[in-house]
Amino acid sequence: MSKTILITGSTDGIGLRTAKTLADLGHTILLHGRSLSKLDAAAAKLGGGIETYAADLSRMAEVEKLAAEVTARHDRLDVLINNAGVYKVPDATTPEGLDLRFMVNTFAPYVLTDALLPIIPADGRIVNLSSAAQAPIDAKAMTGQTKLDDFDAYAQSKLAITIWTREFSREHPNGPVAVAVNPGSLLASKMVKEGFGVTGNDIQIGADVLTAAATSAEFASASGKYFDNDAARFSEPHPGALDLSHAALVMETLEQISADLRRQA
């Protein structure tokens, strides 16, 4: 059965390849990106029937706008794939003084999911892009008080979204399903090339696991779990996600900063 699927950050890399894979299976794809020209080019590659949505996820007002535009056009969203992410950027500080990696990789998907939740059915799915790179989170780094290097900011933001995935599952025991997925290490994305200077592995590896997370029976009862595609199985996340006091502090900070950003938007 055809599903309506929103994929953030889907004008290139894993997002675009996943969009192509799912479109070829007959699903309705909602593409998201920052650039109108890149959105048009990506839509052309996928063929007809593709909707495009432009938004800069480093700006909370645009996160809210994206959600409003999707809900204005759809009364049901079967799958949300929170794929958009950043690693290395020229200026890592947002106008609000936050780290851009936390903003795009953690705060934006948290708020976007909350805003779209009214149209995601109980049997729907939320697929959050995690990573093999996960590290204990400094709450002061989440608030912008502590500055981090590229790797630490990225790894902490990915543990944060993994913690939130687990918490979401506890708060919504009847669905929708929320899973955190490491799509595979060092895949051939722009992020990997710019951040690590390597070409990377076949990006279809990541697209295939995200397609499975969005549509397969294997993930239908996997809410709150972490899938490590490097090991090709569900696995335990970083111990920081299992530390209840650490997870509680991260969630408290995530909720507070997100609420502040939404009030300012």
Side-chain angles (χ1 to χ4, degrees), residues 163 165-173 223-224 241 244 247 251:
I163 287 172
T165 303
R166 292 168 58 85
E167 182 61 26
F168 181 95
S169 177
R170 284 192 289 268
E171 292 180 351
H172 300 84
S223 196
L244 295 182
M251 285 305 305

Side-chain angles (χ1 to χ4, degrees), residues 150-214:
D150 294 329
F151 182 82
D152 283 341
Y154 181 80
Q156 291 189 33
S157 73
K158 289 303 183 179
L159 179 57
I161 200 170
T162 304
I163 287 172
W164 164 57
T165 303
R166 292 168 58 85
E167 182 61 26
F168 181 95
S169 177
R170 284 192 289 268
E171 292 180 351
H172 300 84
N174 299 317
V177 166
V179 294
V181 178
N182 163 31
S185 296
L186 298 177
L187 300 181
S189 66
K190 181 175 67 175
M191 180 190 299
V192 165
K193 186 174 182 179
E194 292 177 350
F196 298 95
V198 297
T199 301
N201 301 316
D202 185 0
I203 209 163
Q204 190 64 44
I205 294 168
D208 286 343
V209 73
L210 294 184
T211 296

Side-chain angles (χ1 to χ4, degrees), residues 13 45 80 83 105 130 182:
K45 289 181 181 179
L80 168 60
N83 167 73
N105 301 351
S130 184
N182 163 31

Side-chain angles (χ1 to χ4, degrees), residues 122-265:
D123 62 350
R125 300 189 191 181
I126 298 155
V127 181
N128 291 326
L129 268 285
S130 184
S131 172
Q134 299 177 37
I137 300 153
D138 179 350
K140 289 186 176 181
M142 290 183 74
T143 63
Q145 298 175 69
T146 299
K147 303 302 179 184
L148 301 173
D149 63 24
D150 294 329
F151 182 82
D152 283 341
Y154 181 80
Q156 291 189 33
S157 73
K158 289 303 183 179
L159 179 57
I161 200 170
T162 304
I163 287 172
W164 164 57
T165 303
R166 292 168 58 85
E167 182 61 26
F168 181 95
S169 177
R170 284 192 289 268
E171 292 180 351
H172 300 84
N174 299 317
V177 166
V179 294
V181 178
N182 163 31
S185 296
L186 298 177
L187 300 181
S189 66
K190 181 175 67 175
M191 180 190 299
V192 165
K193 186 174 182 179
E194 292 177 350
F196 298 95
V198 297
T199 301
N201 301 316
D202 185 0
I203 209 163
Q204 190 64 44
I205 294 168
D208 286 343
V209 73
L210 294 184
T211 296
T215 62
S216 76
E218 179 185 10
F219 284 81
S221 58
S223 196
K225 293 185 178 180
Y226 167 69
F227 190 89
D228 180 4
N229 205 30
D230 290 331
R233 60 181 171 82
F234 291 102
S235 181
E236 293 289 349
H238 186 281
L242 308 177
D243 181 327
L244 295 182
S245 61
H246 181 252
L249 176 59
V250 170
M251 285 305 305
E252 179 183 350
T253 307
L254 175 56
E255 291 163 3
Q256 183 60 58
I257 294 299
S258 297
D260 290 345
L261 289 169
R262 295 180 88 169
R263 280 192 295 269
Q264 296 168 24

